[in-house]
Amino acid sequence: MRYTERDEWLEIDGLGGFASGTASGLRTRRYHAVLLAATTPPTGRMVLVNGFDAWIETAAGTSALTSQRYEPDVISPDGARRITDFTYEPWPRWVFTLDDGTVIEHVVIARHGAPLVALAWRLLSGPAGSLRVRPFLSGRDYHSLHHENGAFRFEPEPTAGGLVWRPYNGVPDIHTSTNGHYRHQPDWYRNFRYEVERDRGLDSIEDLASPGEFAWDLRDGEAALIFGTREGGARDALSLLQEIREAETQRRAQFASPLHRAADTYLVKRGSGQTIVAGYPWFTDWGRDTFIALRGICFAADRIDEARHILLEWTRAVSEGMLPNRFPDHGELPEFNSVDASLWFVIAVYDLFDAAARCGIDLTLTDRKALEDGVDRILDGYARGTRFGIRADDDGLLAAGVTGVQLTWMDAKVGDYVVTPRIGKPVEVQALWLNALWLASQRSPRWRDLLDRGRSAFEAKFWNDAASALNDVVDVDHQPGTIDSSFRPNQVLALGGLPLVLVDAMRARRALDAIEARLWTPLGLRSLASGEPGYIGHYRGGVFARDTAYHQGAVWPWLLTPFVEAWVRARGKTTAVIAEARRRFLQPIATHLDEGGLGHVSEIADGDAPHRPNGCPFQAWSVGEALRLDRIVLAPPAKRNRRRRSASKSVEGATHDMGV
């Protein structure tokens, strides 16, 4: 396969920092960097080493190994044309073939557990020459851009292991270790142009500081250049490179599959524990994303202990029955604008109990009590009423929403304009609420009355016979009897995408058939059916254009798994049904792993064919749900020994099969 500048690689350090770029070597985002470190893991991210120019000098002349894009759309030098091979497993590796037949290999390897990135070049064949590398530095917030100024400190200081730059006060040091020779030659490189930023309607021009050049004679062997935020000690660069290479080879080989390793990318350090980063390059940890993603990232990979620690940590954040949707990057107060994040937490807790039982792990009574207490505080808060008009209504359903605040996962907002307000009783919120009540009622009967009232009201209010589907919102804007019948994918959580199915089997099958016909694409479900008012088939343009398309037609891969879960349940989980589902629904996702965010699953894709991957290229819940689809939902029946609850046995009046 011939990769392009739309195909991106990612190397993470497990602390929230990373290195990233494109297969072509062209940096197209402000986030593409060699060393991007999290100063307060996983937040406080800063770009320290943005990139570099590299070239070979031989008897035949000078040959570039890199390319940059400058304003006005000028690509120079021409190193990208010499790329004859690129692979991203187990780490990014390029092969360059020069005009005289010389073949050079280049690799980038990030060390897990430390803000440390190794660059290496070696001669594979042909006459040797001199390798030159000129790094580009900044020292900026990762969301910002850097411009020429008089404050940048170009002069390095010697250390026991190499050199260190201290670009600005309050910015982490940039340490280097190398077996090359450094020549100080400071200069500003101006007007780098980041094409993806430009396409997104954002500032896209940057100036970078280049302090000098490193040089190696490739006849002497491999060239190493290692960047980090801490001094590497007195070890020579080749020893450090070999240590990084061996450690990462061993670590990466331990994963059961490349998708398992991709899932591990999102588990990062927070404080003394771990959290799940919602996506790279611009997301940190979000509540909703964490609880959805860990169902695959942790439970599908039998990483029970990590899930336990993450969920226990979140129990401490319950406030008035709610969990934060986001911890801001710079220490501001947590944001609680989510009605569903807390309910996804409840689902995740009971998934943890099931996964622990499946794996033969006994949770301590202390841990179980803390998690169950967190569940009770959420359900009590929602039943009584809490922020943003969230409250259990007399019919047992959950009302939510106030003007100007986005509360559901369809949360796009531009200025004061909420694109999909969905005030009232959104369908997936009811599915989560009633499932949470059902799960909790197996431990405590006090939730059964509310559950029974809610279940009776749900099918009566949400079923839309004319559309063979569920309404998206009822009692819109808290006006009894009003409906929003927009054909959206949110209904899959009520049709079998969660343990408790909320409609009878015949209606569930009709709705799932309609969803498959109107919403399914090879990369996931459209957020709105084409033909519906307001449908937008492409995610592109400036901020307003993109945000208004975000949930108005864009395809979301994470929704594929609950859809397939319901699809399989409606047909019966036989070997033949699973084989058909794997072929129809899982294989296209496997193919997608080799495009866009390489080895990962994108956040979204265009609603219209050819469904180009878009949005965040490396997305936690997309990867997690793909892994859950493969390892849990579509696992052969004989290989799954899951102890799951049966609603028909556990709750009076329940008639739907709860097996997956």
Side-chain angles (χ1 to χ4, degrees):
M1 179 177 180
R2 182 67 177 176
Y3 296 104
T4 72
E5 66 181 76
R6 289 193 58 82
D7 299 310
E8 302 179 54
W9 55 268
L10 175 70
E11 285 282 296
I12 56 94
D13 64 12
L15 306 173
F18 56 89
S20 68
T22 71
S24 72
L26 283 165
R27 291 176 301 114
T28 62
R29 299 184 190 270
R30 67 186 67 201
Y31 305 101
H32 287 159
V34 171
L35 182 64
L36 191 158
T39 60
T40 53
T43 62
R45 290 169 173 161
M46 301 200 75
V47 179
L48 302 172
V49 182
N50 299 63
F52 57 88
D53 262 345
W55 62 95
I56 298 285
E57 296 176 354
T58 67
T62 299
S63 300
L65 302 182
T66 53
S67 293
Q68 315 293 337
R69 179 178 277 112
Y70 295 94
E71 183 73 352
D73 199 17
V74 174
I75 295 177
S76 178
D78 61 351
R81 75 173 181 85
R82 297 185 175 87
I83 299 172
T84 51
D85 189 32
F86 171 77
T87 55
Y88 58 90
E89 289 285 359
W91 42 67
R93 173 184 179 270
W94 293 261
V95 174
F96 299 87
T97 302
L98 310 188
D99 294 343
D100 65 358
T102 299
V103 181
I104 305 291
E105 176 195 70
H106 169 52
V107 299
V108 178
I109 312 171
R111 180 68 173 102
H112 197 271
L116 195 64
V117 178
L119 311 179
W121 295 261
R122 66 188 178 105
L123 178 69
L124 297 183
S125 65
S130 174
L131 170 69
R132 304 292 178 117
V133 174
R134 175 175 274 275
F136 303 132
L137 312 182
S138 60
R140 60 164 170 84
D141 178 89
Y142 75 133
H143 292 311
S144 304
L145 290 172
H146 189 248
H147 297 287
E148 182 177 358
N149 64 84
F152 187 90
R153 300 187 188 112
F154 282 95
E155 193 74 29
E157 300 173 16
T159 66
L163 299 171
V164 60
W165 280 272
R166 310 186 198 278
Y168 299 106
N169 292 336
V171 170
D173 295 343
I174 303 171
H175 288 267
T176 64
S177 178
T178 183
N179 61 335
H181 301 284
Y182 175 72
R183 180 166 66 101
H184 194 59
Q185 192 177 27
D187 204 351
W188 283 97
Y189 277 57
R190 303 170 183 87
N191 297 322
F192 289 98
R193 172 166 146 173
Y194 304 137
E195 200 67 0
V196 172
E197 305 295 331
R198 181 175 178 272
D199 291 345
R200 289 165 62 87
L202 302 173
D203 293 343
S204 59
I205 307 301
E206 179 162 55
D207 306 327
L208 297 173
S210 183
E213 296 177 4
F214 293 91
W216 299 260
D217 187 337
L218 291 182
R219 288 176 299 185
D220 297 334
E222 192 166 24
L225 180 58
I226 301 168
F227 291 102
T229 62
R230 307 167 190 164
E231 186 174 351
R235 289 173 296 177
D236 67 89
L238 286 178
S239 297
L240 182 56
L241 171 63
Q242 187 62 19
E243 177 185 312
I244 293 170
R245 183 181 274 133
E246 289 177 357
E248 284 303 303
T249 297
Q250 182 178 6
R251 187 185 72 84
R252 299 178 195 208
Q254 294 174 352
F255 295 101
S257 72
L259 195 56
H260 282 81
R261 185 165 79 79
D264 180 73
T265 297
Y266 304 94
L267 278 166
V268 302
K269 179 180 174 63
R270 176 180 272 282
S272 60
Q274 285 183 302
T275 187
I276 291 178
V277 166
Y280 297 93
W282 53 73
F283 289 123
T284 53
D285 45 350
W286 291 60
R288 176 192 298 117
D289 296 63
T290 293
F291 308 134
I292 294 174
L294 67 75
R295 303 178 76 204
I297 287 173
C298 292
F299 301 140
D302 294 338
R303 302 182 71 158
I304 310 305
D305 199 48
E306 287 97 329
R308 177 179 66 86
H309 279 295
I310 290 170
L311 292 173
L312 283 170
E313 188 66 27
W314 276 91
T315 62
R316 302 174 187 173
V318 177
S319 168
E320 300 178 36
M322 299 184 72
L323 285 169
N325 189 38
R326 187 171 77 94
F327 290 102
D329 210 0
H330 296 289
E332 298 95 337
L333 293 175
E335 298 174 1
F336 286 87
N337 61 313
S338 172
V339 61
D340 54 329
S342 305
L343 300 174
W344 276 114
F345 170 86
V346 176
I347 301 299
V349 165
Y350 285 95
D351 274 353
L352 171 64
F353 294 164
D354 277 354
R358 170 170 53 85
C359 294
I361 296 173
D362 291 327
L363 298 175
T364 67
L365 291 177
T366 300
D367 287 350
R368 183 177 286 271
K369 184 178 185 307
L371 292 166
E372 290 174 344
D373 179 64
V375 168
D376 287 342
R377 283 185 286 149
I378 289 168
L379 296 182
D380 281 330
Y382 275 36
R384 287 194 310 266
T386 185
R387 301 174 178 91
F388 308 120
I390 299 170
R391 70 189 189 284
D393 209 347
D394 292 340
D395 58 7
L397 299 177
L398 194 70
V402 294
T403 301
V405 180
Q406 69 281 33
L407 289 182
T408 75
W409 79 275
M410 292 187 161
D411 57 357
K413 184 177 182 181
V414 188
D416 293 329
Y417 171 54
V418 178
V419 181
T420 48
R422 305 181 71 231
I423 296 171
K425 296 171 182 173
V427 63
E428 82 283 6
V429 173
Q430 310 316 310
L432 288 162
W433 168 242
L434 295 174
N435 268 269
L437 290 174
W438 173 68
L439 291 164
S441 70
Q442 295 172 68
R443 175 175 52 85
S444 172
R446 69 189 178 105
W447 301 114
R448 290 185 180 175
D449 176 64
L450 196 54
L451 170 64
D452 290 342
R453 280 187 282 133
R455 293 190 65 190
S456 296
F458 181 88
E459 197 157 2
K461 291 190 173 188
F462 276 91
W463 180 251
N464 185 330
D465 200 62
S468 295
L470 296 173
N471 292 316
D472 190 56
V473 185
V474 303
D475 296 349
V476 178
D477 294 329
H478 305 303
Q479 299 300 311
T482 56
I483 65 169
D484 175 357
S485 60
S486 301
F487 198 90
R488 295 187 182 274
N490 304 304
Q491 58 189 301
V492 297
L493 297 183
L495 300 171
L498 290 172
L500 180 67
V501 186
L502 297 177
V503 298
D504 66 50
M506 184 176 296
R507 285 179 170 178
R509 179 66 180 265
R510 284 175 62 191
L512 290 165
D513 288 346
I515 290 169
E516 184 174 358
R518 301 187 65 188
L519 298 178
W520 177 77
T521 76
L523 289 186
L525 301 187
R526 293 184 182 92
S527 46
L528 182 68
S530 59
E532 286 278 322
Y535 173 80
I536 302 173
H538 294 277
Y539 179 84
R540 60 191 177 196
V543 174
F544 184 84
R546 285 184 285 109
D547 283 354
T548 52
Y550 204 38
H551 301 109
Q552 292 293 102
V555 171
W556 289 77
W558 82 267
L559 290 166
L560 181 66
T561 298
F563 164 70
V564 176
E565 193 167 11
W567 189 93
V568 168
R569 291 172 69 168
R571 287 160 174 77
K573 190 165 185 178
T574 65
T575 301
V577 167
I578 290 172
E580 181 183 0
R582 292 186 75 88
R583 176 183 59 80
R584 293 177 63 181
F585 303 124
L586 189 58
Q587 186 54 48
I589 293 295
T591 301
H592 167 62
L593 296 177
D594 208 33
E595 65 177 355
L598 296 170
H600 293 248
V601 184
S602 301
E603 178 191 21
I604 58 173
D606 288 346
D608 286 354
H611 311 297
R612 189 181 75 169
N614 223 316
C616 184
F618 307 93
Q619 190 76 5
W621 63 10
S622 299
V623 171
E625 284 295 86
L627 187 60
R628 191 170 74 89
L629 181 63
D630 180 33
R631 295 301 169 122
I632 295 179
V633 175
L634 297 182
K639 292 186 178 181
R640 293 186 68 235
N641 183 25
R642 291 173 57 86
R643 300 195 296 182
R644 299 186 66 88
R645 300 159 183 80
S646 170
S648 58
K649 295 179 181 178
S650 300
V651 180
E652 284 188 14
T655 59
H656 310 308
D657 177 21
M658 290 301 101
V660 177

